[in-house]
C-alpha cells in the first residue's frame, strides 16, 4: 500500500467545537519520540520534524506528555515551572512552532497538566523549606504533624504509589528533622499540593489560561482523581498489608482509598470547565481517572466538568469476550446518562504495551509475542470501531513490544528504585521508537546512546520498513484511521450488538449515509464462519486470515481466523 492521506481532511483542524467527541488522539512521550540535537533524548523540534508522519497516519490530535522545566525524576511529571520548557526538550518558540505546524496539518495539540503535585524544586516548595513552620508557604502543600511522642512517625499510614511511605519529614535548612511531614503520593520529590487552599486554585486557573492563550487546544489531567483527600486524612485499611501489593493507583481494590476519587474533586473540574469555555473554540480536558467502575468514571464527564476521561476499566478487561462486552455496555450506559462520549485506550506510558500484555504465557512463563501482536492488532481494530474517541500510544502502530530486559543501571522509573528493583514496569514502554535503519538509534537521532537503550532486534519494526507493506501493523492502523475518518458510521454514534457465534464479539454501527459498519473480533483460536447477512464487503482486517467463502445453499459469508478482527461495510 502506498502512503496516502486525504489532503482535504489534513489541511485544517476540524473547526467543530465537538471534535473531541470522536477524535483519535496520539500520545507522544517526547523524550522517546524523535531527537533533533543528538543528545539521545527526544525533544520538541524532533517532534515537529515528524508531524507529517502523524498527519499521514491520520490522527486528529496529539497529546504530549509533560515538557515543562523539570528535574525529570519522574519523566517530567515532576514540574519545577509550569510556564517554561525544559531546556533539554526545547524552547517556548519550539512549542509555538509545534502548535502552528500541527494546526496547519489538521491536528490539535493537547498538553499534560500535573495538578496533584509539583516537583520539590518548584519555587513554592523551596519557599516552604526556607520559611518558618506555619507560614503561608506551608499551606500550599499537604503538611501535617507527625505521630508519636517526638512526632517522628508519619501522620497516617498512606503509602506512595511508587512504594514506601507516602510521607517524608520536613527538615530545617540545617538538615534537622522537624515534627512536620509532607505528603507525596508519588516520589519524595513530588509533594502533593493542598487543594483546600484558594491560592492553589488561582494558580492553576492562571496556568490553564497561560497555555490556552498560546493556542493549546486542551489538557490531559494527570492523576485527575487524586487532587482532593478525605477530610481528616484517615488511615486506610489496605486490602494488601504486604509491601509488594501496594500499587495504590493501578489496583481496583485500592480505588476506594481516602486519597482517590473523592467527591470534592468535581468542584475543581467545574471551575476548570468554566475557564476552558471562555475560549473560542472551547478548550477541552481529558482526565487520567483510575476509578473502580464506569459509574464513578462517568461522573467526571458531567456536562459542566471534563469532556472525556481515560477508560482504564475497558483496558483492564483484557483479552476476554465477556469482560469486554460488559465493560463496553456499562461504559456506554453511564456515559449516555451524562451526555458524554466514551474514550478508549489500550496502551500508554505507564503500562506494559498491549502487544506484550495480551500475549499468552506458556507454562514456562514465556510470552508468545507473535500471538501477542496478532491479538493486539485485533483488539486495536475492534476498539477503533467503538463509539467515541480513542487514544493511541506512540509505537503501538508499529507493533512494538514491551522492552523487558533493560539493564538495571539504565532504568529510570522512580518506582523501580523505591521498590528495590521489584517494580519496574514503566521503563519498558518508554524506549525511544524506531524510525529507520537496521540498528540503534534507528533514525531516532544521531546518537545510539539513547536515554533508554533500544533493543537490537527492532529493524523490522521501523516506520520505514513498515510503510508500504500491506501486512504491516502500521498500514493496518493507517487503513483503519482512513476508513474511520471517511465513515459516517464510526466515531461518535450508536452501537447495536449482533448475536455472534463462539468467542466472537460483533457489533453494527449505523451510518448516516446508508452504509453501516459491522465490526467483528474473534477472541478464540479457531476459525469461525460469520452469518451471511453480515455480508462480505471487507473494509480492513487485523490479519490476512479472512476470506469470503461461498456455501452450498446460500450467499457467501466471511470466514475469520482466530484472534482476528475485521470491519465490513453493510448496507442498511
Ligand atoms: C500519572 C502519570 C505517571 C506519573 C504519575 C505521577 O499516573 O501518567 O507517569 O508517574 O501520574 O505524576
Amino acid at each position: 500500500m502506498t502512503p496516502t492521506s486525504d489532503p482535504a481532511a489534513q489541511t485544517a483542524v476540524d473547526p467543530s467545537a465537538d471534535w473531541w467527541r470522536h477524535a483519535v488522539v496520539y500520545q507522544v512521550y517526547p523524550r522517546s519520540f524523535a531527537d533533533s540535537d543528538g543528545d539521545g533524548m527526544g525533544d520538541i523540534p524532533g517532534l515537529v520534524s515528524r508531524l507529517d508522519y502523524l498527519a499521514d497516519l491520520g490522527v486528529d490530535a496529539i497529546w504530549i506528555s509533560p515538557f515543562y522545566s523539570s528535574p525529570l525524576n519522574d519523566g517530567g511529571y515532576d514540574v519545577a515551572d509550569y510556564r517554561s520548557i525544559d531546556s533539554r526538550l526545547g524552547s517556548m518558540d519550539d512549542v509555538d512552532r509545534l502548535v502552528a505546524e500541527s494546526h496547519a496539518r489538521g491536528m490539535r495539540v493537547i498538553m499534560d497538566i500535573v495538578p496533584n503535585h509539583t516537583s520539590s524544586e518548584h519555587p513554592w516548595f523551596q519557599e516552604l523549606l526556607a520559611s518558618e513552620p506555619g507560614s503561608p508557604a506551608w499551606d500550599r502543600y499537604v503538611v501535617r504533624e507527625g505521630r508519636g511522642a517526638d512526632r517522628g512517625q508519619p501522620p497516617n499510614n498512606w503509602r506512595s504509589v511508587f512504594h514506601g511511605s507516602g510521607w517524608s519529614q520536613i527538615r530545617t535548612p540545617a538538615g534537622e528533622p522537624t515534627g512536620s511531614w509532607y505528603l507525596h503520593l508519588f516520589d519524595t520529590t513530588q509533594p502533593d499540593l493542598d487543594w483546600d487552599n484558594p491560592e492553589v486554585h488561582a494558580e492553576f486557573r492562571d496556568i490553564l489560561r497561560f497555555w490556552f492563550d498560546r493556542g493549546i487546544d486542551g489538557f490531559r489531567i494527570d492523576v485527575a482523581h487524586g487532587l482532593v483527600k478525605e477530610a481528616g486524612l484517615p488511615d486506610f485499611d489496605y486490602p494488601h498489608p504486604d509491601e509488594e501489593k501496594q500499587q495504590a493507583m493501578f489496583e481496583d481494590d485500592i480505588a476506594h482509598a481516602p486519597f482517590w476519587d473523592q467527591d470534592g474533586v468535581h468542584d475543581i473540574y467545574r471551575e476548570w470547565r468554566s475557564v476552558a469555555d471562555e475560549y473560542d473554540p472551547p478548550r477541552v480536558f481529558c482526565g487520567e481517572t483510575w476509578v473502580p467502575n464506569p459509574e464513578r468514571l462517568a461522573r467526571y464527564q458531567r456536562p459542566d466538568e471534563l469532556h472525556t476521561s481515560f477508560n482504564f476499566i475497558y483496558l483492564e478487561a483484557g483479552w476476554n469476550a465477556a469482560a469486554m462486552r460488559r465493560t463496553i455496555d456499562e461504559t456506554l450506559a453511564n456515559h449516555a446518562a451524562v451526555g458524554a462520549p466514551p474514550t478508549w485506550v489500550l496502551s500508554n506510558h505507564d503500562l506494559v504495551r498491549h502487544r506484550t500484555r495480551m500475549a499468552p504465557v506458556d507454562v514456562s512463563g514465556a510470552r508468545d509475542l507473535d500471538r501477542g501482536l496478532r491479538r493486539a492488532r485485533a483488539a486495536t481494530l475492534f476498539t477503533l470501531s467503538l463509539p467515541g474517541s480513542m487514544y493511541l500510544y506512540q509505537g503501538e502502530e508499529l507493533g512494538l513490544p514491551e522492552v523487558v530486559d533493560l539493564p538495571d543501571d539504565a532504568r529510570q522509573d522512580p518506582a523501580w528504585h523505591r521498590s528495590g528493583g521489584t517494580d519496574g514496569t514503566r521503563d519498558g514502554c518508554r524506549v525511544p521508537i524506531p524510525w529507520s535503519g537496521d540498528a540503534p538509534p534507528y533514525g531516532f537521532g544521531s546518537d545510539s546512546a539513547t536515554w533508554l537503550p533500544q533493543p537490537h532486534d527492532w529493524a523490522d519494526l521501523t516506520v520505514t520498513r513498515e510503510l508500504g507493506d500491506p501486512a504491516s501493523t502500521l498500514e493496518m492502523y493507517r487503513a483503519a484511521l482512513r476508513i474511520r475518518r471517511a465513515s459516517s458510521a464510526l466515531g461518535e454514534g450508536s452501537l447495536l450488538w449482533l448475536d455472534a457465534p463462539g468467542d466472537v464479539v460483533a457489533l453494527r454501527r449505523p451510518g448516516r449515509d446508508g452504509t453501516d459498519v459491522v465490526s467483528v473480533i474473534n477472541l478464540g483460536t479457531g476459525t469461525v464462519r460469520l452469518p451471511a447477512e453480515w455480508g462480505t464487503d471487507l473494509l480492513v482486517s487485523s490479519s490476512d486470515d479472512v476470506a469470503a467463502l461461498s456455501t452450498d445453499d446460500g450467499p457467501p459469508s466471511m470466514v475469520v481466523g482466530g484472534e482476528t478482527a475485521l470491519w465490513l461495510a453493510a448496507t442498511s
Side-chain angles (χ1 to χ4, degrees), residues 22 384-388 480 483-493 507 509-512 515-519 539 567:
H22 50 77
L384 275 168
S385 75
L386 297 175
I483 296 163
R484 184 181 151 113
R485 185 173 284 206
S487 163
S488 70
L490 298 172
E492 212 190 350
L507 55 90
R509 301 288 321 273
R512 287 185 303 279
T515 307
D516 297 357
V517 171
V518 170
S519 171
L539 292 169
W567 295 353

Side-chain angles (χ1 to χ4, degrees), residues 37 45 256 336 401 474:
D37 58 7
H256 302 281
L474 179 56

Side-chain angles (χ1 to χ4, degrees), residues 363-375:
V363 279
S364 70
R367 285 182 187 276
D368 181 341
L369 286 178
D370 290 341
R371 278 182 64 199
L373 180 57
R374 196 175 165 95
R375 287 180 171 189

Side-chain angles (χ1 to χ4, degrees), residues 27 29 63 65 74-78 112 114 116-117 161-162 186-187 190 220 222-223 225 249-250 288 290 348-350 413-414 426 430:
Q27 180 189 358
Y29 195 72
W63 148 40
S65 284
D74 183 24
Y77 285 95
D78 46 327
D112 208 317
V114 189
N116 181 66
H117 44 264
V161 175
F162 294 162
F186 295 90
D187 190 48
Q190 293 167 297
R220 174 263 190 189
D222 190 60
V223 201
H225 59 306
M249 193 152 90
F250 308 122
E288 186 206 17
W290 290 89
N348 72 24
H349 66 292
D350 290 327
D413 183 353
R426 299 193 313 159
R430 299 176 179 178

Side-chain angles (χ1 to χ4, degrees), residues 214-540:
R214 294 196 94 92
I216 293 294
D217 299 289
F219 278 104
R220 174 263 190 189
I221 306 168
D222 190 60
V223 201
H225 59 306
L227 276 51
V228 169
K229 281 74 182 177
E230 188 177 325
L233 312 191
D235 274 349
F236 179 47
D237 188 11
Y238 280 91
H240 304 295
D242 70 77
E243 278 275 299
E244 293 307 308
K245 288 284 268 174
Q246 64 176 353
Q247 277 297 79
M249 193 152 90
F250 308 122
E251 296 278 330
D252 271 4
D253 46 8
I254 304 192
H256 302 281
F259 37 87
W260 298 142
D261 194 30
Q262 300 295 304
D263 288 342
V265 83
H266 296 282
D267 295 338
I268 299 171
Y269 301 130
R270 288 191 192 98
E271 189 183 314
W272 285 23
R273 179 64 177 255
S274 64
V275 174
D277 286 348
E278 288 165 9
Y279 289 81
D280 182 20
R283 307 308 199 236
V284 304
F285 294 113
C286 180
E288 186 206 17
T289 40
W290 290 89
V291 293
N293 57 54
E295 191 272 320
R296 294 299 302 185
L297 179 67
R299 286 167 182 252
Y300 289 80
Q301 276 77 247
R302 288 177 287 200
D304 56 349
E305 296 192 41
L306 305 182
H307 303 74
T308 58
S309 283
F310 289 108
N311 183 356
F312 296 117
I313 303 157
Y314 174 73
L315 177 151
E316 286 166 344
W319 188 258
N320 177 316
M324 266 168 100
R325 222 187 122 147
R326 188 179 57 247
T327 312
I328 293 167
D329 268 338
E330 289 177 8
T331 301
L332 295 178
N334 283 292
H335 280 71
V338 293
T343 299
W344 313 97
V345 63
L346 291 168
S347 278
N348 72 24
H349 66 292
D350 290 327
L351 301 165
V352 172
R353 284 188 177 276
H354 68 282
R355 171 176 178 185
T356 302
R357 226 176 45 233
M358 291 180 170
V361 181
D362 70 18
V363 279
S364 70
R367 285 182 187 276
D368 181 341
L369 286 178
D370 290 341
R371 278 182 64 199
L373 180 57
R374 196 175 165 95
R375 287 180 171 189
R377 289 170 57 140
T380 299
L381 190 61
F382 180 73
T383 306
L384 275 168
S385 75
L386 297 175
S389 68
M390 171 105 181
Y391 278 73
L392 308 176
Y393 176 52
Q394 67 178 37
E396 67 168 81
E397 78 279 17
L398 303 173
L400 295 189
E402 182 81 0
V403 179
V404 292
D405 56 357
L406 284 169
D408 289 357
D409 61 0
R411 289 181 182 273
Q412 313 255 338
D413 183 353
W416 169 263
H417 298 287
R418 284 178 60 87
S419 67
T422 58
D423 174 14
T425 52
R426 299 193 313 159
D427 286 319
C429 62
R430 299 176 179 178
V431 171
I433 63 169
W435 292 92
S436 58
D438 292 322
Y442 300 108
F444 168 73
S446 53
D447 188 350
S448 60
T450 51
W451 72 279
L452 283 173
Q454 296 167 305
H456 287 272
D457 60 355
W458 273 8
D460 287 337
L461 293 169
T462 65
V463 171
T464 311
R465 188 67 62 85
E466 293 196 28
L467 262 185
D469 172 0
S472 73
T473 305
L474 179 56
E475 288 298 348
M476 184 202 83
Y477 272 71
R478 285 160 49 84
L481 296 189
R482 248 191 331 265
I483 296 163
R484 184 181 151 113
R485 185 173 284 206
S487 163
S488 70
L490 298 172
E492 212 190 350
S494 59
L495 162 166
L496 305 165
W497 290 114
L498 300 174
D499 280 336
D503 282 321
V504 172
V505 178
L507 55 90
R508 189 174 183 118
R509 301 288 321 273
R512 287 185 303 279
D513 57 0
T515 307
D516 297 357
V517 171
V518 170
S519 171
V520 180
I521 182 167
N522 178 5
L523 293 133
T525 49
T527 297
V528 175
R529 183 183 279 276
L530 303 182
E533 63 265 27
W534 296 358
T536 55
D537 191 355
L538 182 66
L539 292 169
V540 58

